[in-house]
Amino acid sequence: MPANESAPPVKKKGRRARLIVLVLVLALFAGLGYGAYWGVDSVRASFPQTTGSLKVPGLTGPVDVKRDAHGIPQLYADNDDDLFRAQGFVHAQDRFWEMDVRRHMTSGRLSEMFGSGQVETDAFLRTLGWRHVAQTEYDKKLSDETKKNLQAYADGVNAYLKGKSGKDLSVEHAALKLSDDYQPEQWSPVDSVAWLKAMAWDLRGNMQDEIDRALMSTKLSQAQIDELYPPYPFDRNKPIVEGGKVEGGKYAPQGSGGAGSTGGGSGSSATAMGSQASTGTDTATGLADNATAQGATVGLRTQLTSLAKTLDEIPAILGPNGSGIGSNSWVISGRYTTTGKPLLANDPHLSPQLPSVWYQMGLHCRTVSPQCQYDVAGYTFSGMPGVVIGHNADIAWGMTNLGADVTDLYLEQVKLEGYVYDNKVVPFTTRDEVIKVAGGASKTMTVRITNNGPLVSDRSDELGTVGSRAPVAGSAPDRGNGYAVALRWTALEPGKSMDAVFKLDKAKDFTEFRKAAADFEVPSQNLIYADGKNATGNIGYQAPGRIPVRGAGDGRMPAPGWDSKYAWKTGKDGSVEYIPQNELPYDSNPSRGYIVTANQAVAESGTGAGKYPYLLTTDWGYGARSQRINDLIEAKIKDSGKISTDDMRAMQMDNSSEIAALLTPMLAKINVSDPDVRSAQKLLEGWNYTQEPDSAAAAYFNAVWRNILKLAFGDKMPKELRIEGSCMNVRADSRGPADELAEVVRECGTRGPDSAQPDGGDRWFEVVRRLVKDEKSPWWSSPKKGFTQPATATRDELFARAMHDARWELTAKLGKDQSTWSWGRLHQLTLKNQTIGTEGPGFMQWLLNRGPWNLGGGEATVNATGWNASSGYGVTWVPSMRMVVSLNDLDKSRWINLTGASGHAYNGNYTDQTTMWAKGELLDWPFGKDAVDKATVDTLTLKP
């Protein structure tokens, strides 16, 4: 599930200049005598008090905060209000800088903290309107109990803030305080709700694929694009659920008559597949047939290129979308565990950041009662009450991103007075936004909204333009002869996901778990379940989420917004028709004894027996990780019949490469004459395809894989998908075979490093798996390079050239002596502190950042330390935490975080878990009071 939260805002000159000012202020603040050491006072002033007692206004009784040696707190209270008030206080103690940056980002107010360099980012976020949606959710959708908990949490944060500013909050706040007299405002419940919108943004599904396919169409044929987006291999990689069916308005798992309603949702599947079976070519036809589409090709390319660039610049809360953001989770029945009860594992793959997006915490009622309902522990989000992933006294749960297609881009034909819809001009809905800028004048913008959503391609005069600007008055941009681009997204409709968090935290069985899941509308997640009831416990799965039922089109390409047949279906009351919650797939105690979710297909869509009647998406992960986990579980069961907690941990650290297993035997057979390349080739002999950090073979193979992708695909991509700065000479014609007489032009890529293609993820595994059977596929052709690299026309010729290029690339990076090569030296993780630590000068980065760590694992492996093959080998996303829950004895559960509990640089808990995390180690996870007391090293009592 849940990629770079509170992440560094975009790189702008105005921002960098402001950061330099902050650095100078900090240097002065530290004092010349202290130099780089900063000064003990400024470093330690914001460290939290962890012993003794503190008064917290609003508490009705004492709350104990018990921290272990890693600073992980377990809270004990006598009522819900006190429990969540204390949670807000403790989160703010350790992570308020993170919380403050995050809420400014989710509300489009980064400019208030960081100046004019953030205006364009704020404008895009204001256009999306996360804060407006969050406010509506709080006002109209959430239960009274949820709002009460949110208010208690906000009161706790504000109790911490009272009387504090600058260095009392964090070193970063000290800089803002001295340079601009910045003073954080009070926390509000809506600040917490808005976080779910940012989380949903990074888990939004196939929006990047939709853009990429449209941009590819400017250079590649539809047949070529289809080759680069092959269908999911259901014959080889198992979906999450198999053989279920929808009957009588309810989903029934295989071999089950249905386990009852989840609540929520209505309707039937009668309109499902038939209305969604259109392909992307329908969209293209609808575009081409429009009589007013002059300039459409140029306009579309301009709009989508600009939109893609904007998306690159928006702070990713969780990680780079598209390249492989995902997660692993699996649960095993007690029939196959050494404990006799279920074991549940989860490791969400998100962007590496410092501090980690997760905060470990326990929330305990001293006595569970109607007045105090919670006894739960796990991973929380700083700035939001409750536990997101973890276990309570009765059940455990984990999450991975389902990947449902919940976003659609619509091309809008703009006129002076509005936008075209079914041959009529409809006025825009508009909203004015004022962006306050630290150290500068405020900026005003107008958000324009169509019936398909906000125009994400809009900008005001002050913010610059994306494409041509629209012929309307005021600050509304003109689209010229092209099209504006609107975003339809389920998260822009108010929902009840915050209710779901609290319901999960106190669910006692599978029925209550499914009822909670019904409210988890956005983002759509795979939810796995376990309990320790009865002889061997129970395991389960639920696919929740608000997933639209489309009219024409299948969401693969931008749709013509002017044609109502491409709109999302609506009911008689005009509301959007979503797949009914009762008809979403689930599973309960399957006969195989385990459930695996790792972003693979949930179910095979179709109309035949055993097929799921709704189209969830066509852009699943391709199942490399999930099938490897399936294979590991089945092998262990066959070998010993039982799986232990340590076996689960070992599976999480599995480094096996599927693409290496496919290609290495082919590479080993290629005749290589260059002795240096031949010596590198020998590294692959006898290699077992595991990517350990000390493996020279893994380093060489991944370099070969990267160069195969570049030669076969990267150099054939339109510049809008190639990494920024990658330049090459191309023929002026943009599609089909090059005309030898066409003009040669210099063309440079424009994509950012996180989303450039080919990224090397498991989609590319599947592409190459299919193509290697055709040794003379046109994809294997590449032009000659200089005097040493001849043109290639076959698979083996291209592979040989990739091996040569990889050899000399590693010579440049790691040295000529192969005995010194290792995958970890290439594949490094550096943890960067938010904002200043990411973009500040070297002095600041040295102070705030940590690393590097040499890692094993890789792209689409279970130990998913991702990297983008277009941009290099550095780690771009990671297992952001790992946990293994034992339902036989919750105190025997294990967990680890990427960094540590503290967000304060130089605090002992800043990165104290990272080295253990890198080694695959797990910490004991105490839950019961006796176990918590035994692990406690500091106790703080919060008093009324």
Side-chain angles (χ1 to χ4, degrees):
M1 153 195 167
N4 189 341
E5 83 69 23
S6 316
V10 299
K11 296 182 178 180
K12 301 291 182 185
K13 290 182 179 179
R15 162 79 184 278
R16 185 168 289 111
R18 181 169 170 76
L19 286 175
I20 291 172
V21 171
L22 297 182
V23 172
L24 293 174
V25 170
L26 287 169
L28 291 172
F29 180 61
L32 295 176
Y34 291 105
Y37 186 68
W38 286 64
V40 173
D41 179 61
S42 56
V43 170
R44 295 184 176 277
S46 58
F47 285 8
Q49 179 179 334
T50 59
T51 60
S53 64
L54 283 172
K55 290 187 176 181
V56 176
L59 289 177
T60 61
V63 178
D64 292 325
V65 182
K66 300 183 178 184
R67 294 178 183 260
D68 66 11
H70 294 280
I72 300 170
Q74 306 275 351
L75 277 56
Y76 290 84
D78 292 319
N79 59 70
D80 293 346
D81 190 81
D82 283 356
L83 191 62
F84 293 115
R85 190 179 299 261
Q87 185 183 20
F89 186 91
V90 173
H91 272 167
Q93 276 189 308
D94 282 328
R95 299 283 193 92
F96 186 70
W97 172 253
E98 174 192 18
M99 294 164 61
D100 202 15
V101 172
R102 180 184 297 161
R103 66 164 162 179
H104 279 80
M105 192 275 288
T106 57
S107 57
R109 295 170 53 211
L110 288 167
S111 300
E112 294 180 22
M113 295 183 80
F114 302 111
S116 60
Q118 293 311 296
V119 170
E120 188 171 339
T121 298
D122 283 345
F124 188 82
L125 295 168
R126 297 284 186 99
T127 299
L128 293 178
W130 293 348
R131 178 75 184 197
H132 290 276
V133 179
Q135 186 70 58
T136 303
E137 286 185 358
Y138 184 79
D139 292 341
K140 299 182 178 180
K141 289 288 186 177
L142 298 180
S143 70
D144 289 342
E145 181 179 340
T146 293
K147 290 196 282 189
K148 184 173 180 289
N149 293 341
L150 286 164
Q151 186 61 60
Y153 180 91
D155 290 344
V157 176
N158 293 329
Y160 173 77
L161 291 178
K162 187 175 182 180
K164 293 185 176 68
S165 64
K167 67 177 182 178
D168 297 326
L169 296 172
S170 72
V171 168
E172 297 93 334
H173 279 106
L176 293 181
K177 176 71 174 176
L178 290 182
S179 65
D180 262 341
D181 199 28
Y182 173 81
Q183 179 65 33
E185 63 193 37
Q186 294 279 288
W187 194 267
S188 79
V190 181
D191 291 333
S192 297
V193 179
W195 162 238
L196 287 173
K197 298 303 163 188
M199 175 175 146
W201 174 250
D202 287 331
L203 302 172
R204 62 191 178 273
N206 76 334
M207 183 174 170
Q208 191 69 59
D209 288 325
E210 192 174 337
I211 293 170
D212 289 354
R213 281 189 288 261
L215 292 171
M216 285 179 186
S217 68
T218 65
K219 190 169 184 179
L220 304 176
S221 68
Q222 186 61 49
Q224 289 173 311
I225 295 172
D226 290 343
E227 284 187 296
L228 300 184
Y229 289 88
Y232 184 90
F234 286 100
D235 60 332
R236 190 174 67 256
N237 295 341
K238 296 177 183 178
I240 297 173
V241 298
E242 299 176 89
K245 57 186 176 180
V246 174
E247 286 185 331
K250 293 182 180 180
Y251 182 85
Q254 187 177 41
S256 168
S261 170
T262 61
S266 61
S268 73
S269 61
T271 61
M273 286 299 297
S275 66
Q276 300 190 55
S278 306
T279 67
T281 53
D282 287 341
T283 300
T285 301
L287 180 61
D289 288 347
N290 189 280
T292 60
Q294 295 180 357
T297 301
V298 174
L300 171 59
R301 183 173 183 175
T302 300
Q303 293 295 341
L304 292 179
T305 300
S306 298
L307 177 57
K309 186 174 185 295
T310 300
L311 294 178
D312 271 348
E313 294 174 340
I314 298 304
I317 296 299
L318 301 174
N321 187 280
S323 70
I325 183 173
S327 303
N328 299 323
S329 70
W330 64 93
V331 60
I332 300 176
S333 166
R335 301 200 325 259
Y336 296 122
T337 68
T338 58
T339 66
K341 293 291 175 73
L343 294 173
L344 183 150
N346 195 189
D347 55 286
H349 306 156
L350 309 175
S351 180
Q353 54 200 277
L354 181 59
S356 165
V357 67
W358 300 109
Y359 184 97
Q360 297 149 288
M361 179 178 271
L363 301 172
H364 306 279
C365 290
R366 293 188 178 96
T367 302
V368 176
S369 68
Q371 291 72 41
C372 200
Q373 305 172 75
Y374 297 88
D375 189 15
V376 60
Y379 293 86
T380 71
F381 288 138
S382 301
M384 198 177 91
V387 170
V388 178
I389 294 175
H391 69 81
N392 58 32
D394 296 294
I395 74 167
W397 67 95
M399 297 184 189
T400 66
N401 195 24
L402 191 150
D405 187 356
V406 296
T407 59
D408 279 336
L409 296 174
Y410 284 89
L411 310 180
E412 302 288 359
Q413 194 166 41
V414 172
K415 299 291 186 180
L416 181 66
E417 61 274 25
Y419 60 97
V420 175
Y421 190 70
D422 282 348
N423 297 315
K424 296 180 181 178
V425 178
V426 181
F428 291 108
T429 300
T430 61
R431 182 178 73 242
D432 289 334
E433 297 276 358
V434 178
I435 299 174
K436 297 179 181 179
V437 182
S442 297
K443 309 291 184 181
T444 302
M445 61 173 287
T446 298
V447 177
R448 299 187 298 167
I449 305 169
T450 74
N451 60 342
N452 290 315
L455 292 185
V456 290
S457 54
D458 269 3
R459 289 292 185 273
S460 69
D461 287 339
E462 294 83 4
L463 305 176
T465 59
V466 177
S468 303
R469 298 191 338 195
V472 292
S475 60
D478 187 344
R479 297 296 99 191
N481 291 325
Y483 297 108
V485 182
L487 172 64
R488 191 75 189 261
W489 180 30
T490 55
L492 298 184
E493 295 292 328
K496 299 184 293 182
S497 293
M498 197 69 236
D499 284 346
V501 173
F502 295 111
K503 289 182 178 180
L504 280 174
D505 284 358
K506 57 186 179 180
K508 295 185 179 299
D509 54 35
F510 192 52
T511 298
E512 292 185 7
F513 169 81
R514 295 186 66 213
K515 288 180 179 178
D519 285 339
F520 209 106
E521 298 167 326
V522 177
S524 185
Q525 298 291 291
N526 296 307
L527 295 177
I528 61 167
Y529 167 93
D531 68 44
K533 305 176 191 300
N534 66 49
T536 57
N538 299 290
I539 64 173
Y541 164 80
Q542 178 69 57
R546 185 190 288 163
I547 304 170
V549 178
R550 289 174 175 80
D554 60 4
R556 286 174 57 84
M557 298 280 275
W562 50 82
D563 190 340
S564 62
K565 74 179 181 181
Y566 288 90
W568 290 1
K569 287 188 171 293
T570 56
K572 292 181 180 180
D573 63 353
S575 61
V576 174
E577 181 180 332
Y578 299 109
I579 297 175
Q581 288 291 318
N582 290 343
E583 299 183 23
L584 287 170
Y586 78 95
D587 210 347
S588 177
N589 293 324
S591 58
R592 64 182 175 276
Y594 63 89
I595 301 170
V596 174
T597 85
N599 317 114
Q600 79 272 39
V602 171
E604 186 171 2
S605 296
T607 55
K611 302 289 183 67
Y612 184 64
Y614 290 100
L615 179 64
L616 299 175
T617 186
T618 61
D619 289 308
W620 302 110
Y622 281 80
R625 281 180 289 110
S626 62
Q627 193 55 45
R628 176 64 178 172
I629 297 168
N630 276 309
D631 293 344
L632 289 170
I633 293 172
E634 290 176 1
K636 190 66 180 177
I637 291 173
K638 184 178 180 180
D639 178 52
S640 67
K642 300 294 182 180
I643 294 173
S644 68
T645 300
D646 197 57
D647 291 330
M648 301 283 274
R649 182 204 64 80
M651 291 178 194
Q652 289 178 325
M653 293 303 295
D654 182 77
N655 286 329
S656 179
S657 169
E658 179 185 89
I659 194 63
L662 174 69
L663 296 185
T664 298
M666 300 179 191
L667 297 171
K669 294 178 181 178
I670 293 174
N671 185 28
V672 175
S673 58
D674 185 316
D676 289 314
V677 179
R678 172 62 185 138
S679 66
Q681 184 186 35
K682 287 182 178 180
L683 292 172
L684 303 178
E685 296 176 2
W687 180 44
N688 63 358
Y689 319 130
T690 60
Q691 302 168 100
E692 299 300 329
D694 61 354
S695 171
Y700 182 59
F701 173 79
N702 282 312
V704 174
W705 170 237
R706 179 175 184 242
N707 281 279
I708 287 173
L709 292 170
K710 178 180 183 296
L711 293 169
F713 310 106
D715 291 346
K716 300 177 180 72
M717 292 285 161
K719 68 179 186 296
E720 293 84 2
L721 271 68
R722 298 203 312 271
I723 189 166
E724 186 176 5
S726 63
C727 300
M728 55 191 295
N729 294 326
V730 299
R731 300 290 176 182
D733 58 329
S734 62
R735 185 195 293 258
D739 180 352
E740 292 297 329
L741 299 178
E743 179 187 2
V744 175
V745 297
R746 189 70 169 164
E747 185 182 80
C748 296
T750 61
R751 267 291 170 88
D754 287 342
S755 60
Q757 294 293 334
D759 59 40
D762 68 351
R763 173 166 68 87
W764 293 100
F765 290 14
E766 195 64 23
V767 169
V768 171
R769 181 188 296 277
R770 290 166 178 263
L771 286 177
V772 291
K773 301 172 184 176
D774 181 1
E775 296 186 25
K776 295 184 179 180
S777 166
W779 291 106
W780 304 129
S781 66
S782 63
K784 68 178 182 179
K785 180 180 179 183
F787 296 103
T788 60
Q789 294 300 299
T792 68
T794 68
R795 180 196 69 194
D796 286 354
E797 288 174 353
L798 186 137
F799 281 12
R801 182 165 161 185
M803 292 169 71
H804 176 279
D805 291 352
R807 172 50 162 116
W808 297 110
E809 180 186 2
L810 294 197
T811 296
K813 291 180 180 295
L814 302 179
K816 189 173 182 178
D817 183 358
Q818 292 172 192
S819 67
T820 67
W821 290 5
S822 70
W823 175 225
R825 285 181 61 202
L826 281 177
H827 192 52
Q828 293 187 324
L829 168 68
T830 298
L831 293 172
K832 296 184 177 182
N833 193 281
Q834 321 166 49
T835 19
I836 297 175
T838 302
E839 283 190 49
F843 169 70
M844 285 296 294
Q845 295 188 24
W846 178 79
L847 286 168
L848 299 177
N849 299 343
R850 299 293 182 268
W853 284 265
N854 295 349
L855 299 186
E859 192 73 26
T861 61
V862 181
N863 182 22
T865 57
W867 55 287
N868 186 305
S870 287
S871 58
Y873 305 97
V875 176
T876 58
W877 48 276
V878 295
S880 57
M881 61 80 158
R882 299 186 185 100
M883 74 176 194
V884 179
V885 181
S886 171
L887 275 300
N888 179 60
D889 182 351
L890 293 171
D891 289 329
K892 296 295 178 63
S893 302
R894 311 294 301 283
W895 61 355
I896 198 76
N897 204 352
L898 173 63
T899 61
S902 181
H904 301 289
Y906 297 99
N907 184 282
N909 302 131
Y910 191 47
T911 56
D912 60 325
Q913 298 185 51
T914 308
T915 297
M916 291 180 287
W917 170 91
K919 294 177 179 178
E921 298 174 359
L922 298 174
L923 298 172
D924 291 337
W925 181 354
F927 179 73
K929 188 175 184 305
D930 289 344
V932 169
D933 286 345
K934 185 177 180 180
T936 297
V937 297
D938 285 333
T939 299
L940 172 69
T941 301
L942 305 179
K943 296 182 176 180

